[in-house]
Amino acid sequence: MVSREQTVVVGLSGGVDSAVVASMLVADGYRVEGVTLRTWTEPGEREKRWQDRSCCKIGIAEYIAKELGIPHRVIDAQERFQRAVIDDFCATYAAGRTPNPCVLCNERVKFALLMEAADDAGADFLATGHYARVEHDAVSGRSRLLKGLDAGKDQSYFLYRLSQNHLRRTLFPLGGLTKRQVWDKAEAMGLPVHEIAESQEICFVTQKDYREFVAARLPETVREGAIVTADGAVVGEHQGVAFYTVGQRRGLGVAAGERRYVTRLDANRNLVVLGSETDLLSHSCVVEDVHPGAVAAITAPMRVATKFRYKTAEAPAMVSPEPDGLLRVIFDEPQRAVTPGQSIVFYDGDVIVGGGVIQSTQKRNSSPWCEPSSALT
């Protein structure tokens, strides 16, 4: 039974999910305080309708807090968000890699600042509207992050970098619910669920294509170079490797009798490399910036299910430790568009055992034009 002395800080984003979380916790007898992070202010935002704002819908969060009768405060996190997320987002594209801004935001901004807010308030717990679950393993003493039960809404991929301290003190009340159940609860609260837009994946690129966004902040990324085939033949020109991603087919400006895709980006040589659908397949990758999950470290080969992009199906693989803190992942079957810069997360059933950032990939029968010198051999 919940003690009425227990306090929870709820990250109120202004969306349906966090509103339902706050309502559930109030109903369960917790003392609840809402905290909203202002991470991004788009030019002209003051003139926009509140339901069009996809990042921090502060007005809605204030309304929800008032309706629930809970205190609410706003923390200005824009400077931190700029340094920890936006600067990294632009620099990663400039390096010819594809970033995961939501993963970094959760680790470096949202959960970091919300936990600070919980500490300041003397709160016992932090709660958010993410679709994930936490279990505490008495044998290992570790807190384990699990998938949300609604497979279509599971957000554990974006949370794999949360620390043990975060997991021990974080509640995910929606982890055992479906989105339909959450919407039913929101409608029962009288929330305008059909007017509140779902948050988009990149909350700060709202009016422009990400390419315009990056070019405006890093003008040096606009740099003409060659588009080449796997054997080095020049077939076109590009305006900067930052504006392409592995697997891209449209917008290449290259006439060809067969479909061609971006198979690799070489920022050092300022090259965009094209190939066939088959050339997109990788049988293995090296992982850096490794973060532990249910196990403190992967010290021996382990069978896992991998997820190297949020919307892709899991791929079975063997993950093994390498020197210098790296991991080697060998997929059972070659995988399409495994992309440097993206996070790859390792699962044992519903449990996250670890994850990291893809450093490089290895394709079968690769040529020097297809792979960087640091690639696997």
Side-chain angles (χ1 to χ4, degrees):
M1 185 175 179
V2 174
S3 167
R4 290 187 178 276
E5 295 303 311
Q6 289 184 308
T7 302
V8 184
V9 163
V10 175
L12 279 181
S13 67
V16 169
D17 294 329
S18 61
V20 170
V21 164
S23 175
M24 291 172 64
L25 293 172
V26 168
D28 284 344
Y30 287 97
R31 292 188 302 181
V32 178
E33 177 180 339
V35 173
T36 302
L37 304 180
R38 185 190 294 275
T39 57
W40 176 253
T41 301
E42 183 186 348
E45 181 172 315
R46 293 178 182 276
E47 289 72 43
K48 293 181 66 180
R49 297 185 308 156
W50 55 264
Q51 58 262 51
D52 289 338
R53 300 179 190 175
S54 62
C55 185
C56 297
K57 300 180 279 282
I58 294 175
I60 308 174
E62 291 174 343
Y63 166 80
I64 291 165
K66 183 177 180 181
E67 288 296 299
L68 293 175
I70 62 174
H72 175 255
R73 56 186 168 124
V74 177
I75 296 175
D76 190 339
Q78 293 178 93
E79 182 179 346
R80 185 162 181 164
F81 186 75
Q82 174 72 47
R83 287 186 285 104
V85 179
I86 295 179
D87 289 351
D88 180 273
F89 177 84
C90 296
T92 301
Y93 271 120
R97 293 155 62 95
T98 302
N100 263 140
C102 295
V103 170
L104 287 184
C105 183
N106 283 328
E107 177 192 17
R108 300 177 179 179
V109 182
K110 287 185 180 178
F111 281 81
L113 291 180
L114 288 173
M115 192 59 75
E116 288 178 16
D119 289 339
D120 291 344
D124 300 280
F125 302 106
L126 161 67
T128 72
H130 289 92
Y131 289 78
R133 293 173 292 154
V134 176
E135 288 182 352
H136 305 287
D137 185 357
V139 176
S140 67
R142 296 184 67 80
S143 295
R144 309 189 303 171
L145 179 64
L146 284 73
K147 299 175 186 175
L149 289 184
D150 186 337
K153 290 298 295 181
D154 167 49
Q155 293 172 305
S156 59
Y157 173 88
F158 295 115
L159 302 172
Y160 82 94
R161 299 188 68 83
L162 296 187
S163 69
Q164 284 291 297
N165 180 52
H166 286 141
L167 294 178
R168 278 193 294 268
R169 294 180 58 195
T170 299
L171 306 177
F172 295 119
L174 306 188
L177 301 178
T178 66
K179 183 67 176 185
R180 180 66 263 174
Q181 290 173 313
V182 172
W183 277 56
D184 288 344
K185 289 178 178 291
E187 288 173 340
M189 291 172 60
L191 289 178
V193 293
H194 298 294
E195 297 181 19
I196 302 176
E198 288 282 289
S199 296
Q200 63 188 60
E201 193 164 333
I202 305 178
C203 66
F204 51 88
V205 183
T206 54
Q207 297 298 312
K208 303 175 182 178
D209 182 276
Y210 87 87
R211 297 165 181 84
E212 294 180 54
F213 186 90
V214 172
R217 283 157 180 77
L218 290 180
E220 62 271 25
T221 57
V222 182
R223 185 162 67 105
E224 291 184 358
I227 299 178
V228 301
T229 61
D231 58 6
V234 177
V235 294
E237 291 185 350
H238 65 79
Q239 297 302 307
V241 297
F243 312 131
Y244 296 82
T245 57
V246 172
Q248 179 179 337
R249 180 172 70 86
R250 299 184 184 278
L252 301 179
V254 174
E258 61 179 19
R259 288 186 175 183
R260 292 186 178 181
Y261 302 83
V262 175
T263 59
R264 195 175 71 80
L265 300 167
D266 189 329
N268 291 331
R269 290 186 285 182
N270 197 27
L271 297 174
V272 173
V273 184
L274 304 186
S276 66
E277 178 85 28
T278 302
D279 294 328
L280 284 174
L281 298 176
S282 298
H283 67 80
S284 59
C285 66
V286 164
V287 179
E288 61 186 359
D289 196 10
V290 175
H291 195 279
V295 296
I298 296 175
T299 58
M302 176 184 292
R303 292 288 303 169
V304 295
T306 66
K307 199 172 186 66
F308 56 86
R309 197 160 37 248
Y310 174 57
K311 294 183 179 179
T312 59
E314 291 178 5
M318 181 71 76
V319 58
S320 305
E322 291 281 293
D324 301 321
L326 303 176
L327 295 175
R328 179 192 298 257
V329 178
I330 300 178
F331 302 107
D332 288 8
E333 299 290 338
Q335 298 298 307
R336 185 185 188 279
V338 181
T339 307
Q342 290 278 284
S343 286
I344 182 168
V345 181
F346 312 131
Y347 291 88
D348 178 8
D350 284 350
V351 180
I352 288 181
V353 296
V357 177
I358 299 168
Q359 180 195 77
S360 58
T361 64
Q362 177 67 42
K363 302 173 177 65
R364 298 189 189 280
N365 302 319
S366 61
S367 76
W369 288 90
C370 294
E371 295 297 329
S373 59
S374 61
L376 290 172
T377 57

